[in-house]
Amino acid sequence: MMLDDLSLFVAIVEAGSLAAAAEGLDLPAATVTRRLQALERALGYKLLNRSARRMQLTAEGAQYYEQCRPLIHALRQATQRLDATLGAISGNIRVTAPVHLAQGYFRDAWSGFLHTWPEVTLEVELSNDLVDVVGSGADLAIRVGEQQDSSLNQKLLASTDLMLVAAPAYLARAGVPHTPAELETHARIVGRPLTRWKLRNRADDTEVVLQGAPRFQANQMDLALSMALDGLGIMLCPGTMGRQHLASGALTVVLPGWSTEQRHIYALWSQQRYLPARVRALLDYLSAFTGAHPL
């Protein structure tokens, strides 16, 4: 027995005729008749006596209507309240994001969004681990790199380059490498997950991959960057973090004739959950923010 057919029966009684109900529901009259007949067959008794000129409830139909009507009306009211809640740009949003992106590139996005939507509260969890989006209850996750999890929707927000950098003091002490092979003799600083360095020669597209034991590594990119700034080695650094230090002279680009991989930044959310309007608003805001602040 379909709940839609119960609602249809109540609508027929309240409209006064099958034709009026069909018009009010924007359904073909034949469809209304067929669904009413299917409901009567499922119940095992007739609900309405009907002819070309009039319609009258049977005794069973009258009893059934009195029992169903308050339930259907209560369900409609609950649905209307839920629609209003889901459609409101208010309530709490939980986001998980990598530490350096959440604190750095997206910092102004969080405050800008909260200024735009004063009825929203925002809870941002900073983690470089791959947090279970579904299990953690997060509404959105910001991740670097395309995700293979088919249970997640994903939207590309931005792309950023990587750069090989070192402090001038380190290069003065250890020498300036001119080829990727020379990097083997240098101290490497790794901020995970950038353990694998893939370099491409801009002149002839030759590719080299470096993946040796670093002198220092951390799962927090800011800490790794601080080691590079202190002159302890060469680092593969996200452009979002390195550019300001290049501009100030605190860091220098190493192997400028070689390019590195681009990193793509995605917003992800569960396919199993309806996306409320407040979360959709944040997704749209982040998309507009990255469009206005290209990396």
Side-chain angles (χ1 to χ4, degrees):
M1 190 181 304
M2 300 294 294
L3 183 60
D4 284 347
D5 291 336
L6 300 182
S7 179
L8 176 66
F9 168 62
V10 171
I12 292 170
V13 176
E14 292 178 344
S17 72
L18 273 70
E23 183 177 353
L25 296 171
D26 195 22
L27 290 172
T31 299
V32 173
T33 300
R34 176 175 48 78
R35 286 175 55 184
L36 176 61
Q37 291 170 343
L39 178 60
E40 289 176 328
R41 284 195 301 272
L43 293 172
Y45 47 79
K46 202 169 185 62
L47 297 173
L48 293 169
N49 289 319
R50 48 199 181 273
S51 66
R53 294 181 175 271
R54 58 180 302 194
M55 179 191 79
Q56 186 175 12
L57 282 166
T58 64
E60 294 83 1
Q63 182 179 357
Y64 194 62
Y65 170 73
E66 290 303 323
Q67 292 176 348
C68 290
R69 182 179 60 83
L71 298 177
I72 295 299
H73 284 187
L75 180 60
R76 287 173 182 167
Q77 291 174 356
T79 301
Q80 289 170 355
R81 287 194 298 268
L82 181 61
D83 287 345
T85 300
L86 293 175
I89 313 297
S90 63
N92 189 59
I93 305 174
R94 294 188 62 196
V95 181
T96 176
V99 177
H100 74 280
L101 278 177
Q103 288 183 331
Y105 177 63
F106 283 112
R107 199 212 72 83
D108 290 342
W110 312 131
S111 60
F113 178 74
L114 291 174
H115 281 301
T116 302
W117 301 108
E119 298 301 318
V120 171
T121 59
L122 195 55
E123 181 182 349
V124 181
E125 177 184 349
L126 279 60
S127 175
N128 291 331
D129 297 327
L130 291 181
V131 176
D132 179 4
V133 178
V134 177
S136 68
D139 296 298
L140 278 182
I142 307 299
R143 295 269 176 84
V144 180
E146 187 171 359
Q147 307 299 304
Q148 303 303 318
D149 191 338
S150 60
S151 69
L152 299 175
N153 292 307
Q154 55 185 308
K155 178 181 177 62
L156 178 63
L157 294 177
S159 298
T160 181
D161 58 346
L162 302 172
M163 53 183 64
L164 279 177
V165 296
Y170 171 80
L171 296 175
R173 184 175 71 252
V176 177
H178 298 287
T179 67
E182 293 180 35
L183 289 177
E184 300 287 352
T185 63
H186 281 265
R188 293 172 65 241
I189 295 173
V190 167
R192 293 199 298 269
L194 301 181
T195 58
R196 181 176 178 270
W197 296 5
K198 184 177 180 181
L199 309 177
R200 180 187 294 272
N201 192 311
R202 298 181 192 273
D204 59 13
D205 278 347
T206 305
E207 284 190 357
V208 176
V209 176
L210 299 174
Q211 194 170 2
R215 185 179 184 198
F216 179 87
Q217 65 175 308
N219 68 341
Q220 217 274 5
M221 202 67 68
D222 283 328
L223 180 57
L225 180 59
S226 70
M227 296 299 106
L229 289 167
D230 285 345
L232 292 175
I234 297 173
M235 178 184 177
L236 184 61
C237 177
T240 50
M241 303 177 68
R243 283 197 181 88
Q244 60 175 320
H245 300 295
L246 292 177
S248 69
L251 292 175
T252 300
V253 172
V254 176
L255 297 181
W258 292 75
S259 63
T260 58
E261 295 179 279
Q262 275 206 326
R263 301 280 282 173
H264 303 296
I265 301 171
Y266 290 88
L268 300 103
W269 64 98
S270 171
Q271 289 187 355
Q272 302 172 15
R273 299 177 59 185
Y274 175 79
L275 201 62
R278 64 182 181 276
V279 182
R280 172 61 63 181
L282 176 58
L283 183 61
D284 291 343
Y285 189 92
L286 292 177
S287 183
F289 177 86
T290 55
H293 302 82
L295 293 172

